[in-house]
Amino acid sequence: MSVGEMLAATVPMAATLGLEFLETTPERAVVRLPDRPAYHNHVGGPHAGAMFTLAESASGAIVIAAFGDQLTRAVPLAVKAEIGYKKLAMGVVTATATLGRPIADVVAELDAGERPEFPVEIAITRDDGAVTGEMTVVWTLRPNK
């Protein structure tokens, strides 16, 4: 099962929005939100809540891809998120997530008994490439006790 299939199966909101997981590696996750009228806002583009869910889902996908081998000893949790809406989004939008810290550094903190935090940066773009939003989600790996 791919990371995208796993997230769609375990995170009902991702499945509800019909998110398409196009690429999921430890270096990058790319997720697309289809253009469906049920997800539109008052100006005909994707609702801010749908865009937030898209970006947060992309961040979760890269976290699972990067730290999936740590899930037996730690639980990934979002600590905080901040989003900025830059331009009007219309049609299909795509979120591209990247890790803000080296994987090895995060795992070293976990190995030292700490609860590491790390940012994931996400750009939300229209089909024409224009950045319509930017989001940062800070994640932690909470050690199992």
Side-chain angles (χ1 to χ4, degrees):
M1 181 180 285
S2 72
V3 170
E5 291 167 337
M6 183 190 73
L7 285 173
T10 59
V11 180
M13 191 62 170
T16 296
L17 287 178
L19 298 181
E20 301 165 5
F21 293 83
L22 306 178
E23 178 184 339
T24 306
T25 69
E27 292 77 35
R28 187 170 107 129
V30 181
V31 182
R32 181 171 43 215
L33 174 69
D35 183 23
R36 295 188 181 154
Y39 309 148
H40 286 180
N41 58 21
H42 62 289
V43 294
H47 188 278
M51 289 176 54
F52 184 99
T53 301
L54 167 69
E56 195 276 340
S57 296
S59 77
I62 199 169
V63 168
I64 296 300
F67 302 108
D69 60 340
Q70 304 299 319
L71 297 182
T72 57
R73 66 182 186 140
V75 175
L77 298 169
V79 175
K80 62 183 173 180
E82 183 175 340
I83 192 166
Y85 301 100
K86 306 294 183 187
K87 290 186 178 186
L88 185 61
M90 297 299 281
V92 173
V93 288
T94 302
T96 302
T98 55
L99 281 177
R101 289 185 61 201
I103 294 168
D105 291 355
V106 174
V107 172
E109 286 182 21
L110 189 61
D111 289 342
E114 299 174 25
R115 184 175 169 166
E117 289 189 2
F118 51 94
V120 175
E121 304 294 335
I122 307 102
I124 305 167
T125 57
R126 299 186 303 224
D127 274 349
D128 67 2
V131 175
T132 63
E134 295 174 331
M135 184 173 183
T136 301
V137 181
V138 175
W139 286 83
T140 188
L141 294 178
R142 185 190 73 199
N144 298 333
K145 299 207 179 194

